[in-house]
Amino acid sequence: MAVQEQVYGFFIPSMTLIGIGASKHIPEKIKELGGSKPLLVTDKGVVAAGICKQVTDLLDAESMPYVIYDETVPNPTDKNIEDGIKLYKDNNCDSLITLGGGSSHDCGKGIGLIVSNGGKIHDYEGVDKATKPLMPYLAVNTTAGTASEMTRFAVITDTSRHVKMAIADWRITPGIAIDDPVLMAGMPPALTAATGMDALTHAVEAFVSTIANPMTDACAKEAIQLVSKHLRKAVANGQDLEAREGMCFAQYLAGMAFNNASLGYVHAMAHQLGGLYNLPHGECNALLLPHVEEFNLVANVDKFVEMAELMGENTEGIAARDAAELALEAIRKLSADVGIPATLMELGKRYGKEVKAADIPTMTENAQKDICKFTNPRLATDENIAEIYTKAL
């Protein structure tokens, strides 16, 4: 019997350090990459929490010069990229350290992309549009969710269109990633919940992706189990380093999964909520996740049954379709337990925004243009997407 040719690529960073104390190796690792004067890209929250000083103290101890860019916003913008590029060039930096969650990493990737390749960030929306590698780049993670410290993805808001531009390019993958639970211990419960549910979303979407393979499935399944085991504990007690470390591994494995199997309509739709209303990405994902997966369930019932079991549901003696529904229930229970709002209107009120039904056609149109949609397990019409938004509203 003839076998159809199929080759799988697998994207990973060249080195990753995970565990208590991993951040102590920052100076030596940026030197190993070839950096001597990094631009440190972070945000005001990381600075205010004292986390940035923990890192700069390490650099100071090695007499390494650096420049700090701390203006990154929760949904990083094209203006962030422009300002960071100017600071990098004006100070003759030769390398990059990103410190924070997905926002800082995505912002740093955008800065590095343009410094190395030229043009504007808008030129790189889409897949593999860069032609040159980035400068030496080390990513230090302070949240357990986005996995942006090790992926080939960046999402930047186009402030003129109010749309999130999704960039997927293997050249923007950090050379070294560091995940130290000690740096995450002070993360507040709401942020812990949002980033943790982001990690779960990555794992779930990768698990049911149309280009999933045995390697991505292995990563996704372990990530789903780890989030189910550790997220509630990490939200309840941020100083629980065992739970924090468990979430480090969970989000990293979820990143390995979606870095290679990509995502789906949860992200395609969440990007529109972030771009239009500037709502937090993790909470948008968490809220949309059960609605989108309810739509997707018929496309791969067996995987949803397995997902239910991974999340601790008892499926013994239950019909497959009913067992698959338990996965959706488990997602909803976890989301509620960690304090995620139940509706988009509630989420909007939390942040002083009004999510409007009148905006659904625009969000639907833009979601259908998002690159994340292409690996969703079930094809969706505009009417399907609009209905999901309406249910979540």
Side-chain angles (χ1 to χ4, degrees):
M1 179 184 294
V3 178
Q4 183 177 353
E5 183 175 327
Q6 177 68 60
V7 178
Y8 295 100
F10 208 70
F11 297 96
I12 58 173
S14 58
M15 175 181 287
T16 301
L17 301 180
I18 300 179
I20 295 171
S23 57
K24 294 177 181 178
H25 298 278
I26 292 170
E28 70 183 75
K29 293 306 176 186
I30 194 67
K31 288 179 183 177
E32 287 177 10
L33 288 172
S36 60
K37 187 179 182 181
L39 177 69
L40 178 56
V41 179
T42 188
D43 61 56
K44 298 291 187 187
V46 172
V47 173
I51 298 171
C52 186
K53 188 176 185 303
Q54 292 180 55
V55 173
T56 57
D57 283 350
L58 293 169
L59 299 176
D60 289 338
E62 296 296 321
S63 300
M64 177 177 286
Y66 54 86
V67 179
I68 297 175
Y69 177 71
D70 64 359
E71 298 293 334
T72 305
V73 295
N75 290 304
T77 68
D78 43 16
K79 186 179 186 305
N80 283 142
I81 306 305
E82 293 167 7
D83 292 345
I85 292 167
K86 186 176 188 303
L87 195 62
Y88 186 99
K89 291 181 176 179
D90 286 351
N91 289 275
N92 297 311
C93 295
D94 65 1
S95 51
L96 194 63
I97 296 175
T98 54
L99 174 67
S103 300
S104 294
H105 301 315
D106 285 7
C107 184
K109 289 174 180 179
I111 293 167
L113 187 57
I114 306 308
V115 169
S116 299
N117 286 264
K120 295 183 177 181
I121 193 64
H122 313 77
D123 301 333
Y124 299 92
E125 183 176 9
V127 181
D128 290 338
K129 294 189 175 181
T131 58
K132 299 176 182 178
L134 269 59
M135 68 288 285
Y137 175 20
L138 169 67
V140 184
N141 209 24
T142 65
T143 67
T146 69
S148 187
E149 84 281 3
M150 52 73 66
T151 70
R152 60 191 175 105
F153 290 91
V155 181
I156 306 296
T157 298
D158 181 336
T159 53
S160 63
R161 293 185 293 156
H162 300 288
V163 169
K164 281 192 167 188
M165 300 179 291
I167 298 167
D169 198 310
W170 63 269
R171 292 175 180 84
I172 66 172
T173 305
I176 295 177
I178 290 180
D179 283 274
D180 187 341
V182 173
L183 297 183
M184 304 176 187
M187 186 167 44
L191 183 58
T192 302
T195 54
M197 290 301 295
D198 192 21
L200 180 66
T201 304
H202 293 155
V204 169
E205 289 209 285
F207 189 47
V208 299
S209 163
T210 57
I211 59 171
N213 62 63
M215 289 189 291
T216 61
D217 279 357
C219 292
K221 289 192 287 186
E222 184 65 18
I224 291 168
Q225 283 189 308
L226 287 169
V227 173
S228 300
K229 178 179 180 181
H230 293 292
L231 181 56
R232 290 179 177 88
K233 294 177 182 178
V235 171
N237 178 10
Q239 299 299 317
D240 184 337
L241 290 183
E242 181 180 355
R244 289 288 191 197
E245 187 171 70
M247 285 304 300
C248 280
F249 283 107
Q251 69 91 34
Y252 190 90
L253 287 164
M256 292 279 282
F258 91 84
N259 202 32
N260 294 279
S262 195
L263 296 161
Y265 269 115
V266 180
H267 273 75
M269 294 174 69
H271 287 160
Q272 313 321 314
L273 293 165
L276 190 59
Y277 302 114
N278 199 29
L279 291 170
H281 175 67
E283 288 176 271
C284 292
N285 273 343
L287 208 154
L288 288 170
L289 180 60
H291 294 285
V292 174
E293 300 316 325
E294 182 177 18
F295 171 78
N296 285 338
L297 187 145
V298 296
N300 200 330
V301 171
D302 289 345
K303 276 201 167 179
F304 279 91
V305 173
E306 190 170 4
M307 197 186 309
E309 294 166 351
L310 292 167
M311 296 190 74
E313 298 294 324
N314 183 4
T315 64
E316 188 175 353
I318 301 175
R321 178 58 188 267
D322 293 336
E325 296 277 357
L326 292 178
L328 307 179
E329 183 60 26
I331 291 169
R332 292 189 180 100
K333 285 191 292 188
L334 177 57
S335 190
D337 284 350
V338 298
I340 301 296
T343 68
L344 291 176
M345 292 185 71
E346 288 180 37
L347 179 63
K349 288 179 182 178
R350 174 179 284 189
Y351 294 99
K353 313 283 184 178
E354 183 184 0
V355 181
K356 302 174 184 176
D359 290 329
I360 289 177
T362 298
M363 291 193 293
T364 296
E365 180 182 356
N366 289 329
Q368 292 285 38
K369 298 174 183 176
D370 193 291
I371 61 172
C372 292
K373 83 162 196 176
F374 293 107
T375 46
N376 196 75
R378 184 180 176 187
L379 297 176
T381 64
D382 289 356
E383 290 74 20
N384 295 144
I385 299 303
E387 184 179 355
I388 294 171
Y389 273 129
T390 301
K391 284 183 177 180
L393 195 59

